[in-house]
Amino acid sequence: VGIQKTDDLCAAVRGALEELGDRRCTLSTFGFGADHSAALLQGLAEVGGGIYSYVESEDQIGQAFGEALGGLLSTTHQNAQLSLKLTPGVTLARVCTDFAYERSEEDGAQTVVVEAADLFAEERRDILVMLKLPSAIDTDSDQVLGHFCARAFSVVMSRSEAVGPVELIVRRQESVDIVESNPHVERHRSRYLTTEALSAANQVARQGQLAEARRILSEAASKLSASDLGAHGDSVILGLIASLTDCQNDLRDQHQYRSVGDKKMTCMTMAHTQQRAMNLEATDIYGTTITRSMKSYFQSSVTR
């Protein structure tokens, strides 16, 4: 008996973690094989600020724990917070992230604050935002879009650290020639598109609509393939396409989806959102020196 519903369990865990106060810890979850609830373990990991790692078979147990432990042991900053305060007249159209964020406005100036969680050594957080600019009064002049700040608690220095404010400026022109998009920005636009597609496909698949889920993933993969980076064989884009294709193959029937597909899509969505390795090969791109080392060490220890 006891608490059985996912929402109630997550609420109970949230309350228990809050009661710890300054002793609050990170909670990560590991799902073994086909017989577990990916939605529950994902929810618990999100509440606890950790990861949900899908362990498909016994031979992956060591590497999954090694990778997770390597991350925890290399934590450099906690409770990272990114803040963007826009100049009055410049408005926020969209924040492209699944990290928690708050929007506010004061005296015509909009602000968005993103809670970017903890950071392991070598990790990064790339948060894309879409802005709407007012019509330019003076062409061929600089316009201040806003100011960016970042702050977090440094585990190494045992104190809070802050960067900024950094002034963001764009050059307004009467006419603009067609230019190629910044490759770094395009990669993260594609990453966001991938996470959105995985999440949407998994949602409809849980309702039994496998054909619609396959369509969503196929459409997203086609968009990535048609992009300039995809057409030129960019390794990051090809990796995202592989993630979508892999998950699409697990939607061929209900049994395969329930036993593998649901878990894999849930894990991949969280990994691509957080830019963090979570045991699956498709998430290795986010691995760090220490997580890779610990993953390899634990894997070899288990197979000896």
Side-chain angles (χ1 to χ4, degrees), residues 38 42 65-66 70 82 86 110 119 132 134 157-158 164 170 181 183-184 220 279:
Q42 176 194 28
F65 276 94
L82 311 177
L86 300 175
Q110 295 186 359
L119 288 168
K132 183 178 180 181
M157 303 301 293
S158 296
V170 66
S181 299
H184 183 73
N279 190 46

Side-chain angles (χ1 to χ4, degrees), residues 141-163:
S141 62
D142 292 336
Q143 178 178 355
V144 177
L145 299 179
H147 296 82
F148 171 80
C149 298
R151 65 180 298 110
F153 180 81
S154 171
V155 176
V156 177
M157 303 301 293
S158 296
R159 61 178 173 82
S160 294
E161 294 182 330
V163 175

Side-chain angles (χ1 to χ4, degrees), residues 44-114:
L44 294 175
E46 288 178 343
V47 167
I51 65 169
Y52 158 61
S53 186
Y54 169 46
V55 185
E56 189 171 358
S57 57
E58 290 183 1
D59 59 351
Q60 294 182 1
I61 294 176
Q63 66 183 45
F65 276 94
E67 184 176 69
L69 182 59
L72 291 175
L73 293 176
S74 63
T75 300
T76 59
H77 291 81
Q78 296 176 319
N79 303 317
Q81 189 179 77
L82 311 177
S83 175
L84 176 62
K85 184 175 183 180
L86 300 175
T87 299
V90 179
T91 56
L92 191 66
R94 188 173 186 181
V95 183
C96 301
T97 184
D98 285 336
F99 282 114
Y101 65 88
E102 291 186 0
R103 300 172 59 166
S104 60
E105 183 172 345
E106 183 177 357
D107 297 328
Q110 295 186 359
T111 298
V112 58
V113 178
V114 180

Side-chain angles (χ1 to χ4, degrees), residues 119-173:
L119 288 168
F120 302 157
E122 300 177 16
E123 275 194 331
R124 58 184 297 146
R125 295 287 182 267
D126 295 275
I127 311 296
L128 300 183
V129 295
M130 299 175 62
L131 305 178
K132 183 178 180 181
L133 276 60
S135 300
I137 298 177
D138 297 320
T139 57
D140 295 323
S141 62
D142 292 336
Q143 178 178 355
V144 177
L145 299 179
H147 296 82
F148 171 80
C149 298
R151 65 180 298 110
F153 180 81
S154 171
V155 176
V156 177
M157 303 301 293
S158 296
R159 61 178 173 82
S160 294
E161 294 182 330
V163 175
V166 176
E167 191 173 57
L168 307 180
I169 300 175
V170 66
R171 185 75 174 176
R172 303 302 298 269
Q173 302 178 56

